[in-house]
């Protein structure tokens, strides 16, 4: 219901993760193009939580209904870790293998962008739109965005060189508190996020977009560092 507040629609979208039916991916994919830019990444994250939904998502990408870029590298890694052999095979056929370690070509990217940025003027309004759709799903800047990763208002932005590294090689340094965990639940969901709570009773993950997902400890089949 587009008449409902954006925040309410985000909550409703997130709540679909606990549903278990093919209708979920059909509804989400059928309405994806009409969603606001802030909701679309949350929809993709939702669809990667169950093998059946992920297969429907990959089929839509294969039909060119969605760009392959809607999936970020962490989501691709999560799908490759699935126990569904068909899903893994399709992901590998479209994306190949995904490096787990540092990519040495990042230094060249930083050199190229250093030169490019100094030669071309920026567009602050376009940059703000990119932040809201991509970076803001995990980071806050001047109070806007989500607190999944570090607040980047004062994080290295006073140094051009550090800013280049943070943007174009963001995984070079990841603090222990910001290392993502991937959880596989007993009912087949796969969730990736930062651990907000880990006790004998439950695990609480902060997912992309800032949503908190609580999983009973008895329902955790596997948990590993992503």
């Amino acid at each position: 219901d587009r008449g409902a507040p954006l925040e309410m629609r985000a909550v409703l979208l997130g709540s679909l993760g606990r549903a278990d039916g093919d209708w979920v991916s059909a509804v989400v994919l059928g309405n994806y193009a009409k969603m606001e830019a802030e909701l679309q990444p949350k929809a993709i994250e939702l669809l990667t939580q169950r093998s059946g939904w992920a297969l429907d998502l990959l089929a839509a990408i294969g039909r060119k209904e969605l760009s392959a870029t809607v999936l970020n590298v962490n989501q691709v890694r999560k799908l490759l870790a699935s126990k569904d052999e068909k899903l893994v095979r399709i992901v590998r056929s479209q994306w190949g293998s995904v490096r787990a370690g540092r990519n040495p070509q990042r230094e060249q990217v930083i050199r190229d962008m250093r030169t490019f940025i100094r030669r071309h003027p920026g567009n602050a309004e376009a940059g703000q739109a990119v932040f809201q759709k991509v970076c803001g799903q995990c980071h806050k800047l001047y109070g806007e965005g989500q607190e999944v990763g570090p607040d980047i208002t004062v994080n290295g932005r006073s140094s051009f060189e550090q800013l280049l590294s943070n943007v174009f090689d963001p995984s070079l340094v990841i603090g222990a508190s910001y290392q993502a965990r991937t959880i596989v639940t007993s009912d087949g969901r796969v969730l990736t996020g930062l651990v907000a709570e880990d006790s004998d009773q439950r695990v609480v993950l902060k997912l992309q977009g800032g949503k908190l997902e609580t999983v009973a400890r008895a329902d955790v089949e596997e948990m590993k560092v992503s």
Side-chain angles (χ1 to χ4, degrees), residues 4-13 39:
L6 180 63
E7 184 176 342
M8 182 180 296
R9 278 178 280 142
V11 171
L12 290 173
L13 184 63
L39 287 183

Side-chain angles (χ1 to χ4, degrees), residues 52-92:
W53 302 346
L55 286 169
D56 290 341
L57 171 61
L58 294 176
I61 291 173
R63 294 191 298 268
K64 309 297 183 183
E65 295 171 3
L66 294 177
S67 168
T69 59
V70 298
L71 282 169
N72 63 43
V73 66
N74 287 328
Q75 290 164 340
V76 173
R77 285 196 184 108
K78 180 169 68 172
L79 297 181
L80 286 171
S82 170
K83 295 180 180 179
D84 188 316
E85 295 181 358
K86 179 181 179 182
L87 175 60
V88 173
R89 187 170 61 252
I90 294 174
V91 174
R92 284 178 176 164

Side-chain angles (χ1 to χ4, degrees), residues 1-2 9 12-17 19-35 39-40 42-44 46-47 52-54 56-57 60 63 65-66:
D1 181 4
R2 290 182 64 85
R9 278 178 280 142
L12 290 173
L13 184 63
S15 69
L16 291 177
D20 186 7
D22 296 339
W23 62 271
V24 174
S25 55
V27 168
V28 173
L29 288 169
N31 289 277
Y32 181 84
K34 296 180 287 186
M35 293 180 185
L39 287 183
Q40 289 181 339
K42 295 178 174 63
I44 299 300
L46 169 68
L47 294 175
W53 302 346
D56 290 341
L57 171 61
R63 294 191 298 268
E65 295 171 3
L66 294 177

Side-chain angles (χ1 to χ4, degrees), residues 131-132 135-148 209:
F131 173 83
Q132 292 172 343
C135 319
Q137 295 299 312
C138 293
H139 296 281
K140 271 194 171 184
L141 180 66
Y142 292 115
E144 294 188 8
Q146 301 294 333
E147 288 183 303
V148 179

Side-chain angles (χ1 to χ4, degrees), residues 11-203:
V11 171
L12 290 173
L13 184 63
S15 69
L16 291 177
R18 295 194 175 278
D20 186 7
D22 296 339
W23 62 271
V24 174
S25 55
V27 168
V28 173
L29 288 169
N31 289 277
Y32 181 84
K34 296 180 287 186
M35 293 180 185
E36 290 86 350
E38 297 92 333
L39 287 183
Q40 289 181 339
K42 295 178 174 63
I44 299 300
E45 180 66 21
L46 169 68
L47 294 175
T48 63
Q49 292 181 10
R50 294 190 184 274
S51 295
W53 302 346
L55 286 169
D56 290 341
L57 171 61
L58 294 176
I61 291 173
R63 294 191 298 268
K64 309 297 183 183
E65 295 171 3
L66 294 177
S67 168
T69 59
V70 298
L71 282 169
N72 63 43
V73 66
N74 287 328
Q75 290 164 340
V76 173
R77 285 196 184 108
K78 180 169 68 172
L79 297 181
L80 286 171
S82 170
K83 295 180 180 179
D84 188 316
E85 295 181 358
K86 179 181 179 182
L87 175 60
V88 173
R89 187 170 61 252
I90 294 174
V91 174
R92 284 178 176 164
S93 70
Q94 294 190 11
W95 281 271
S97 60
V98 180
R99 290 178 58 91
R102 181 183 177 187
N103 185 345
Q105 295 179 329
R106 286 287 95 191
E107 291 298 327
Q108 183 60 50
V109 171
I110 290 174
R111 284 193 293 269
D112 292 344
M113 293 309 300
R114 181 186 294 115
T115 301
F116 181 87
I117 290 172
R118 283 173 170 162
R119 292 178 177 176
H120 297 82
N123 183 322
E125 291 185 359
Q128 185 176 19
V130 171
F131 173 83
Q132 292 172 343
K133 184 174 182 179
V134 183
C135 319
Q137 295 299 312
C138 293
H139 296 281
K140 271 194 171 184
L141 180 66
Y142 292 115
E144 294 188 8
Q146 301 294 333
E147 288 183 303
V148 179
D151 187 316
I152 58 176
T153 306
V154 295
N155 185 8
R157 293 175 57 246
S158 61
S159 165
F160 179 60
E161 290 301 321
Q162 189 173 347
L163 183 60
L164 282 174
S165 178
N166 286 347
V167 173
F168 297 108
D169 196 5
S171 298
L172 178 59
V173 178
I174 301 178
S177 60
Y178 294 111
Q179 291 180 344
R181 300 296 193 277
T182 295
I183 288 180
V184 179
T185 67
S186 56
D187 69 346
R189 298 177 73 195
V190 182
L191 305 167
T192 297
L194 299 183
V195 175
E197 180 184 333
D198 187 358
S199 68
D200 293 338
Q201 290 75 39
R202 64 181 187 173
V203 178

Side-chain angles (χ1 to χ4, degrees), residues 14 18 147-148 191 194-197 203-215:
R18 295 194 175 278
E147 288 183 303
V148 179
L191 305 167
L194 299 183
V195 175
E197 180 184 333
V203 178
V204 180
L205 287 183
K206 184 177 283 188
L207 309 183
Q208 176 178 301
K211 179 178 182 289
L212 291 176
E213 187 72 44
T214 301
V215 181

